[in-house]
């Protein structure tokens, strides 16, 4: 997704947010949250849905979401009391309320939405190849000497509904569920990939999972 709003442009493929020609810094989580709000604009996204997307299978307090929203507003120079871009709907969630002047298509029906998780870190995967390695230019950057500069590749193909993994002639090899990957293999939700000393788990988003997460969250909060 690429979009322009006010003096800003954002590109989810290259993970860049710019004001004019100047790059702006956002933490990976804050960047993903901004992309999510843009993709669903002007719809209000409930906090439970945002939690399910941003911290899948992990329970976090509402304050974590508030911190990300504050970070985004600070980067955009937005005012919570008179918002140009991020609107708070008290007791419900958040929405992107700014006007976009240019964009490429947002998430299309049938597009696979998936990510790799390593502990508390998540790496959102994009359509097409996603390289994993020690090179900072890799989509999944693992800064450890046990990982080759370009170690492995995950390919997301929404048209076929297939997610695949291949080793890129790495020094220490790539393992899928403990087995050495010698040729391209299919990945499924919950699969564990070992890249050097790093262990990554694949998660594939589904409406059913999000609905179940909302139900559990509301139950914990004493709702119905």
């Amino acid at each position: 997704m690429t979009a322009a709003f006010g003096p800003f442009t954002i590109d989810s493929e290259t993970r860049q947010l710019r004001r004019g020609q100047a790059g702006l810094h956002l933490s990976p989580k804050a960047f993903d949250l901004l992309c999510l709000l843009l993709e669903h604009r002007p719809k209000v996204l409930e906090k439970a849905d945002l939690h399910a997307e941003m911290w899948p299978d992990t329970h976090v307090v509402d304050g974590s979401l508030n911190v990300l929203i504050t970070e985004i507003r600070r980067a955009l120079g937005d005012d919570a009391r008179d918002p140009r871009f991020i609107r708070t709907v008290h007791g419900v969630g958040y929405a992107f309320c700014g006007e976009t002047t240019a964009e490429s298509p947002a998430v299309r029906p049938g597009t696979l939405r998936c990510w790799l998780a390593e502990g508390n870190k998540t790496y959102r995967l994009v359509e097409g190849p996603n390289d994993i390695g020690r090179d900072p230019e890799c989509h999944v950057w693992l800064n450890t000497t046990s990982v080759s500069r370009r170690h492995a590749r995950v390919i997301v193909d929404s048209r076929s509904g297939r997610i695949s993994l291949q080793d890129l002639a790495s020094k220490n090899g790539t393992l899928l569920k403990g087995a050495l990957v010698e040729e391209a293999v299919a990945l499924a939700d919950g699969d564990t990939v070992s890249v050097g000393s790093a262990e990554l788990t694949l998660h594939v988003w589904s409406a059913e999972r999000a609905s179940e997460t909302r139900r559990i969250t509301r139950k914990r909060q004493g709702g119905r």
Side-chain angles (χ1 to χ4, degrees), residues 33-90:
L33 177 56
L34 177 56
C35 287
L36 195 60
L37 292 170
L38 276 161
E39 287 170 4
H40 292 276
R41 66 189 181 281
K43 179 182 176 182
V44 177
L45 296 183
E46 295 184 18
K47 289 183 179 181
D49 290 334
L50 291 171
H51 278 280
E53 281 279 345
M54 302 300 299
W55 294 278
D57 304 321
T58 303
H59 176 66
V60 296
V61 297
D62 278 349
S64 300
L65 187 58
N66 296 339
V67 168
L68 296 183
I69 291 292
T70 298
E71 182 182 346
I72 293 170
R73 283 176 169 150
R74 184 181 299 117
L76 301 181
D78 206 17
D79 187 343
R81 292 169 295 183
D82 184 22
R84 292 186 299 153
F85 303 116
I86 307 298
R87 180 168 67 94
T88 299
V89 182
H90 294 288

Side-chain angles (χ1 to χ4, degrees), residues 13 16 37 58 84 102-103 116 140 145 167 172 185 214 223:
E13 296 282 335
Q16 291 180 306
L37 292 170
T58 303
R84 292 186 299 153
E103 61 179 305
L116 291 170
V140 180
T145 56
D167 182 72
N172 296 328
V185 294
R214 289 196 301 270

Side-chain angles (χ1 to χ4, degrees), residues 174-181:
T174 302
L175 303 178
L176 172 60
K177 295 186 290 188
L180 189 65
V181 174

Side-chain angles (χ1 to χ4, degrees), residues 181-201:
V181 174
E182 298 180 343
E183 58 184 22
V185 294
L187 289 177
D189 182 45
D191 280 352
T192 300
V193 177
S194 297
V195 180
S197 61
E199 188 171 279
L200 305 165
T201 303

